[in-house]
Amino acid sequence: MFRHFISLQRKSFFRSSSFGKSLAIKILMGFFALYMLASFLGLGVALYFILEKQFPGSDPLLILSEYLVYWVLAELFMRYMLQKLPYMDVKPLLIQPISKSRIIHFLLGKTAFSFYNFMSLVFFVPFAVVLVNKDYPAIQVAGFVMAMVFIAQAINYTNFLVNKNEKVLIGLAVLLALFSGLEYFDIWSVTAYSGQVFYSFYSYPVAFLLPLLLVVVLYTINYRQLKQLLFLDVAVKKKTQAVSGSDLGWTRRLGNVSPFVRLDLRLIWRNKRTKTQVFISLAMVLYGLIFYTMDDFGSTSAMLVFVGIFITGIFMVNFGQFIPAWDSEYYGMMMAQNIPLRLYLESKSVLISVSIIVMFLLSIPYLYFGWEALAINTACALYNLGINIPVVLYFGSFNKKRIDLTKSPVGNMQGTSATQFLIILPLMVLPILLYLGIKFLFSFELALLILSLLGVGGFGARNYLMEFITSAYRKRKYAMVAGFGERNS
């Protein structure tokens, strides 16, 4: 029976109407997966020698054990954000003489072979080989590796339980920040205590049975939960719930675009994928700390222009590049109504403009690193407002792949096409090249001035640009409606 389920999954994959369209993306993701596996393999081989060099006289395995608590939290966070839970259309199977237990065991067994589990495996196995070659007892090393493999599986099944709860994401982020803060300010050594726990799997090889028992418990809990839901009436019945929230009355001040802005704000807040994009965008305001605190970049480096474009325009990139696919569920209905297309696009422009202004205001504290940081972020915000918003909206006219907002929020390739890769060139690369050329030929100040003036010029030409973009949407209207109507896209 399991072989039959695998056959159904394979046929569903190759017969999908979007298979040919997104084949290039699947190949690209495959290369990325191979690159990640190779990187973890290399890290597993080299880590012993890195730790031995950085901590002379210490046991590299003990040092690794001390930081494994962060691995557990970070992997939970990463899986919550990126790992797609195993999916199988069970409705047709429920009317067949097929045991529900077999269906559930197949789904749970499928997730045990997740790519993320292999990432842990290709890291710990080479590390264990190095340990054995360094005269660590093979039995004890084997016990440690088996414990790590079972912990990875426990994380996998934990993610299966908590994936629907957005509070877990916030809780994991807070826990990571709390542990890091306690360690950084020498208030409490988290690594010292956690290190002893993980090192005990090496000291007492039989202790691997504890994480194995945890895997069994989590598997059983998942099995029971799924069995309660695996009924035809539950699978067919749509979940309904009362939605409480603000009436967003303040948006009426925006004039004719206010109904569309309200619709977008409600869509963003009521759907996991769009809400996650907002949280990611807000978190990315800290992205600049990576570059501003490094001595390798000067205060006028072109890399800081990339940071400025990225920070102030992160929501524009995350949300804007999928316009109008976010509305694919009812886009055909909207296009059949007497709704001015120009007004619809203007509302998207207003929403993105507000996000850029908010992100710019949040980036003002970077003034701490010098007036150049504030000047770069200001010029980049103006450039995003005047130039990049029309660019994003224009590229949106090429979107015709449906997005199902009920699916997993991140790591979900729905709606992705070559457009999402090509748009990086005008959004990011062009302003950086422009800045580099003017700065090299003239000065830093003139380069920022030109970027700012281009942004202001974009405002001046906004009416012409919006008419041009609206015309592009009209030309591709029926292709977009047809594309959004494909359920398997």
Side-chain angles (χ1 to χ4, degrees):
M1 183 58 68
F2 283 0
R3 183 181 299 177
H4 181 61
F5 288 154
I6 293 172
S7 174
L8 290 176
Q9 294 278 279
R10 178 180 56 81
K11 291 175 181 177
S12 173
F13 175 77
F14 286 105
R15 294 176 181 178
S16 169
S17 63
S18 64
F19 174 74
K21 300 175 186 176
S22 47
L23 182 60
I25 296 172
K26 291 180 173 69
I27 294 173
L28 182 65
M29 293 301 292
F31 279 118
F32 179 72
L34 291 176
Y35 169 76
M36 292 297 296
L37 289 175
S39 299
F40 273 77
L41 179 65
L43 181 61
V45 172
L47 185 62
Y48 180 92
F49 305 100
I50 295 173
L51 294 175
E52 190 177 42
K53 183 178 179 180
Q54 292 294 324
F55 303 93
S58 300
D59 182 357
L61 180 57
L62 178 59
I63 300 298
L64 173 65
S65 299
E66 290 179 349
Y67 290 93
L68 284 178
V69 64
Y70 293 106
W71 162 65
V72 171
L73 292 175
E75 183 155 344
L76 267 171
F77 187 86
M78 181 184 68
R79 286 176 184 262
Y80 182 92
M81 295 289 290
L82 300 177
Q83 184 179 8
K84 288 193 282 188
L85 299 182
Y87 169 77
M88 185 177 182
D89 190 0
V90 298
K91 296 176 190 176
L93 301 177
L94 293 177
I95 58 175
Q96 303 295 327
I98 299 174
S99 168
K100 293 176 184 176
S101 297
R102 289 189 174 184
I103 298 174
I104 297 172
H105 283 308
F106 175 77
L107 289 173
L108 293 176
K110 182 181 175 182
T111 193
F113 295 94
S114 165
F115 167 74
Y116 301 95
N117 293 335
F118 282 107
M119 286 175 62
S120 301
L121 195 64
V122 298
F123 170 76
F124 284 110
V125 170
F127 184 75
V129 172
V130 175
L131 289 177
V132 173
N133 287 333
K134 291 293 182 178
D135 297 327
Y136 283 71
I139 297 297
Q140 292 180 242
V141 172
F144 177 81
V145 172
M146 291 176 67
M148 295 304 104
V149 170
F150 289 130
I151 288 174
Q153 289 290 355
I155 294 172
N156 177 59
Y157 289 118
T158 300
N159 177 58
F160 204 102
L161 287 172
V162 305
N163 194 264
K164 299 296 183 182
N165 190 352
E166 287 134 355
K167 294 179 181 178
V168 174
L169 180 67
I170 300 173
L172 290 173
V174 170
L175 206 56
L176 270 172
L178 179 63
F179 282 2
S180 300
L182 291 173
E183 194 78 36
Y184 181 80
F185 292 107
D186 294 325
I187 298 174
W188 184 59
S189 181
V190 178
T191 55
Y193 290 96
S194 65
Q196 294 300 320
V197 173
F198 287 100
Y199 195 76
S200 65
F201 294 120
Y202 167 76
S203 302
Y204 309 99
V206 74
F208 81 88
L209 293 174
L210 293 175
L212 173 59
L213 178 62
L214 180 61
V215 171
V216 173
V217 170
L218 290 170
Y219 187 97
T220 304
I221 294 173
N222 276 293
Y223 175 84
R224 290 178 178 175
Q225 281 198 358
L226 287 175
K227 197 165 186 178
Q228 291 176 355
L229 298 173
L230 207 63
F231 293 96
L232 189 60
D233 54 347
V234 176
V236 173
K237 183 176 64 176
K238 290 187 176 180
K239 181 180 178 181
T240 57
Q241 61 180 13
V243 178
S244 59
S246 170
D247 63 356
L248 302 174
W250 57 270
T251 58
R252 295 189 180 93
R253 301 175 186 175
L254 299 175
N256 293 334
V257 301
S258 62
F260 300 104
V261 174
R262 282 200 299 274
L263 185 66
D264 279 331
L265 291 175
R266 286 168 178 157
L267 178 146
I268 289 171
W269 197 246
R270 292 176 183 177
N271 293 281
K272 190 174 182 180
R273 183 170 175 179
T274 47
K275 191 191 300 185
T276 302
Q277 298 291 8
V278 174
F279 291 142
I280 292 174
S281 299
L282 292 173
M284 283 297 106
V285 77
L286 303 175
Y287 184 69
L289 292 174
I290 299 174
F291 297 91
Y292 285 112
T293 56
M294 295 177 64
D295 296 331
D296 296 340
F297 302 104
S299 60
T300 62
S301 169
M303 200 63 189
L304 299 185
V305 174
F306 166 77
V307 172
I309 294 287
F310 186 80
I311 289 177
T312 59
I314 182 63
F315 181 80
M316 173 186 67
V317 175
N318 285 343
F319 183 82
Q321 66 175 326
F322 292 110
I323 291 173
W326 298 117
D327 304 319
S328 54
E329 184 72 31
Y330 48 86
Y331 191 78
M333 181 273 293
M334 290 180 64
M335 293 300 101
Q337 305 298 314
N338 186 23
I339 296 175
L341 187 55
R342 166 73 180 269
L343 203 61
Y344 171 79
L345 295 172
E346 288 280 6
S347 70
K348 307 295 184 184
S349 175
V350 169
L351 182 64
I352 297 173
S353 297
V354 171
S355 75
I356 292 172
I357 294 171
V358 170
M359 295 304 294
F360 168 70
L361 294 176
L362 292 176
S363 73
I364 289 178
Y366 283 121
L367 180 62
Y368 171 81
F369 296 99
W371 69 269
E372 295 91 349
L374 180 61
I376 290 173
N377 288 340
T378 303
C380 291
L382 289 172
Y383 186 87
N384 279 332
L385 287 167
I387 302 298
N388 279 345
I389 288 179
V391 169
V392 165
L393 291 178
Y394 175 74
F395 272 82
S397 66
F398 296 94
N399 289 333
K400 53 183 181 181
K401 296 186 69 176
R402 183 185 184 85
I403 289 180
D404 185 351
L405 291 171
T406 64
K407 299 296 182 183
S408 180
V410 184
N412 186 346
M413 300 303 292
Q414 276 195 331
T416 305
S417 64
T419 302
Q420 277 64 50
F421 295 94
L422 293 174
I423 198 173
I424 298 299
L425 295 175
L427 285 184
M428 299 289 185
V429 179
L430 185 60
I432 292 174
L433 293 178
L434 186 63
Y435 170 82
L436 273 174
I438 299 173
K439 179 192 170 188
F440 177 76
L441 295 174
F442 300 100
S443 67
F444 163 72
E445 291 80 5
L446 183 61
L448 291 187
L449 180 62
I450 295 297
L451 287 180
S452 302
L453 290 177
L454 283 173
V456 173
F459 281 114
R462 180 57 61 89
N463 188 56
Y464 168 78
L465 292 173
M466 291 304 297
E467 280 298 328
F468 176 77
I469 294 168
T470 303
S471 176
Y473 274 77
R474 287 198 185 102
K475 289 178 182 178
R476 301 182 180 92
K477 171 181 175 180
Y478 296 105
M480 294 166 76
V481 170
F484 294 151
E486 292 188 14
R487 291 284 169 178
N488 293 326
S489 63

